[in-house]
Amino acid sequence: MPNQIFRVDTLTSTPFHGTPVAVCLLEGPRERPWMRDLSLDLAASETAFLLPRSPNRFDLRVMAGSTEVELSALASLAAAHVLYEYSLADKRHPIAFFTRTGPVPATMEEGNALALNFPQMVMEECPEPPEVILQAVDPAPEFVGRRENDYFVQVSNEARLREIRPDFAFLRAAKVKGLLVTSAATISTANDFVAQTFAIGGHEEDTLASYGHCLLAPFWFLRLGKSKMTGLRRSRVIAHPRSPSSMTLEVDGDRLRLLGEAVTIFRGELAV
């Protein structure tokens, strides 16, 4: 069977909304340069590469442009959606994705919702935030955290979050790789929090969103005291504006569950 390719909009049930992800179902192992080239050619936020192991068990690797990411909530969601929708996995049983950070289970919930189980992640707090972050985001942030060259910033309200226009060249020169900005939902009242990610070194958005959900759940759990929360992920891609994506995050011990929907835009076969 030729390699199959799918384009999926994630965290939405409406076509052309949410965040686009490509899914490639492989007939056999492929080298990283081939996956990189396909990911760049598809120009989706991320591309999930699935290699079957046995029924409902798949190796999962994810490319965001030219960068391979260890863990991706959106790519895992898109992959589970494709496998269940096209009967490539048994809906009566969980799917096990084997990733670089360990297994990620996925299950079909009532309706069209999917539930995925991820480890929680925590940012190291920066008591004295670097000046480059203060200048780019907010001179008086509520919180600044750091994980390697990625930064996590809480601002005072949603209106402030919507105003942020980072200077990518300025941040890139300071070796900042990714930026996630979040606030309590003060305008989007049906939600508990809002968030937006920016990938400074590659695409304008989405790289840090690969694992940003694993940061947002424990962060807002501590501040809101709620184990189950809804969040809105805003997007500002100038060439192709999209509606915000909606998600539900549930803290469960040292793990979290992400619940969301997805919709397939097209499917086909690769000729290479």
Side-chain angles (χ1 to χ4, degrees), residues 236-265:
R236 189 181 293 121
V237 181
I238 302 303
H240 186 25
R242 287 184 167 251
S243 299
S245 304
S246 179
M247 73 192 89
T248 299
L249 298 176
E250 186 174 356
V251 174
D252 183 13
D254 62 351
R255 306 281 296 185
L256 68 93
R257 294 202 327 146
L258 180 145
L259 292 91
E261 295 185 70
V263 58
T264 303
I265 302 302

Side-chain angles (χ1 to χ4, degrees), residues 21-24 26 32 35-36 39 44-50 59-79 97-101 104 118 206-207 209-211:
V21 174
V23 178
C24 182
L26 300 172
R32 187 179 182 280
M35 294 192 292
R36 176 202 62 208
S39 174
S45 62
E46 294 175 339
T47 303
F49 294 90
L50 290 170
D59 288 327
L60 173 62
R61 295 177 67 180
V62 181
M63 300 294 296
S66 61
T67 302
E68 184 168 4
V69 296
E70 295 184 358
L71 178 69
S72 170
L74 298 183
S76 302
L77 178 66
F97 292 124
F98 295 91
T99 74
R100 294 173 63 188
T101 58
V104 172
F118 298 99
D206 294 332
T207 299
S210 299
Y211 67 90

